[in-house]
Amino acid sequence: AQKVTQAQTEISVVEKEDVTLDCVYETRDTTYYLFWYKQPPSGELVFLIRRNSFDEQNEISGRYSWNFQKSTSSFNFTITASQVVDSAVYFCALSEAYSGNTPLVFGKGTRLSVIA
Amino acid sequence: GAGVSQTPSNKVTEKGKYVELRCDPISGHTALYWYRQSLGQGPEFLIYFQGTGAADDSGLPNDRFFAVRPEGSVSTLKIQRTERGDSAVYLCASSYSGTDYEQYFGPGTRLTVT
């Protein structure tokens, strides 16, 4: 069975601080995808990144970066120099990757509040 | 282009009533998913369509829940004899076929059963 754990329920930081959101996953699949989605107060889930299990390279996109470590089954997300607009609930998700489209298994989310 | 749209945005119904929730996916997306999100939780999978057929309905909680996608585009999630525990945000997502495509989510329908 697949499972995603986001141990941090809520995080509060002051603007311009760096913040890391943790994600730990469990799967028996050897091939899988990991995702991060952002859910702002408006409620619509916004796709941020997809990572294939074969690709352990870290990725940076502007102020966002992701650290994928298969050895610890973690896929952590760091926001550098946080801004108030980063305030949202962030979800980590997992799907299998060998049988076509598959549903996402989500963690419970981490609510990030960035205070001005 | 247009994203995934869902109607209504809010639905309040009485316990025991029947409701229909509609999802209009992104044009060209053959895969369509329904998820349910309860307060303070992550979305939970309900059912997935590939074209017109339900490829995986293992997430439907019981036989009061049913979904259709008759022409391979718009989908309707139907809930019979609603219960207060059905209150949640129902999310629809769509994607291209294959494993290499991310799912794009609609704004959701907030269902409240009184």
Side-chain angles (χ1 to χ4, degrees):
Chain A
Q2 298 178 324
K3 184 179 177 182
V4 175
T5 301
Q6 295 180 255
Q8 303 150 309
T9 306
E10 292 192 35
I11 300 176
S12 185
V13 298
V14 176
E15 203 171 22
K16 296 184 185 177
E17 286 185 352
D18 299 347
V19 59
T20 295
L21 310 182
D22 297 334
C23 173
V24 173
Y25 63 91
E26 296 175 30
T27 180
R28 292 184 191 145
D29 300 325
T30 55
T31 307
Y32 49 89
Y33 284 104
L34 295 163
F35 303 78
W36 276 94
Y37 281 84
K38 174 182 180 180
Q39 189 171 44
S42 61
E44 194 157 339
L45 281 161
V46 176
F47 167 80
L48 296 178
I49 189 172
R50 180 187 70 243
R51 173 64 54 169
N52 186 302
S53 55
F54 291 124
D55 183 2
E56 287 193 70
Q57 279 193 339
N58 291 333
E59 180 154 343
I60 298 174
S61 176
R63 295 184 298 108
Y64 295 170
S65 62
W66 290 270
N67 184 311
F68 176 29
Q69 293 201 345
K70 239 174 162 175
S71 60
T72 56
S73 297
S74 65
F75 186 45
N76 296 338
F77 173 30
T78 297
I79 302 174
T80 303
S82 59
Q83 300 176 0
V84 172
V85 293
D86 296 328
S87 297
V89 181
Y90 290 86
F91 291 97
C92 182
L94 168 71
S95 75
E96 65 171 56
Y98 57 83
S99 61
N101 296 86
T102 54
L104 298 173
V105 175
F106 285 86
K108 292 188 175 182
T110 297
R111 181 177 299 277
L112 174 65
S113 298
V114 181
I115 304 164
Chain B
V4 178
S5 62
Q6 292 186 246
T7 54
S9 54
N10 277 286
K11 176 71 177 178
V12 180
T13 190
E14 292 181 350
K15 179 176 178 294
K17 298 288 189 184
Y18 168 83
V19 296
E20 289 190 354
L21 312 179
R22 175 188 166 111
C23 171
D24 205 333
I26 292 172
S27 178
H29 281 188
T30 55
L32 185 147
Y33 306 79
W34 284 98
Y35 294 84
R36 178 168 72 173
Q37 187 175 20
S38 300
L39 194 63
Q41 303 294 315
E44 293 180 322
F45 167 71
L46 295 176
I47 186 170
Y48 147 57
F49 287 89
Q50 185 61 258
T52 60
D56 183 353
D57 64 358
S58 61
L60 294 176
N62 52 59
D63 61 5
R64 295 187 298 105
F65 288 74
F66 188 70
V68 295
R69 194 185 184 200
E71 297 177 358
S73 178
V74 170
S75 175
T76 305
L77 178 65
K78 308 180 181 193
I79 310 174
Q80 299 177 324
R81 304 183 304 279
T82 51
E83 299 177 357
R84 293 196 180 88
D86 298 335
S87 297
V89 175
Y90 289 81
L91 296 167
C92 177
S94 70
S95 76
Y96 290 111
S97 290
T99 57
D100 231 12
Y101 300 103
E102 53 270 22
Q103 296 177 25
Y104 291 92
F105 282 81
T109 294
R110 181 176 298 279
L111 175 66
T112 303
V113 181
T114 61

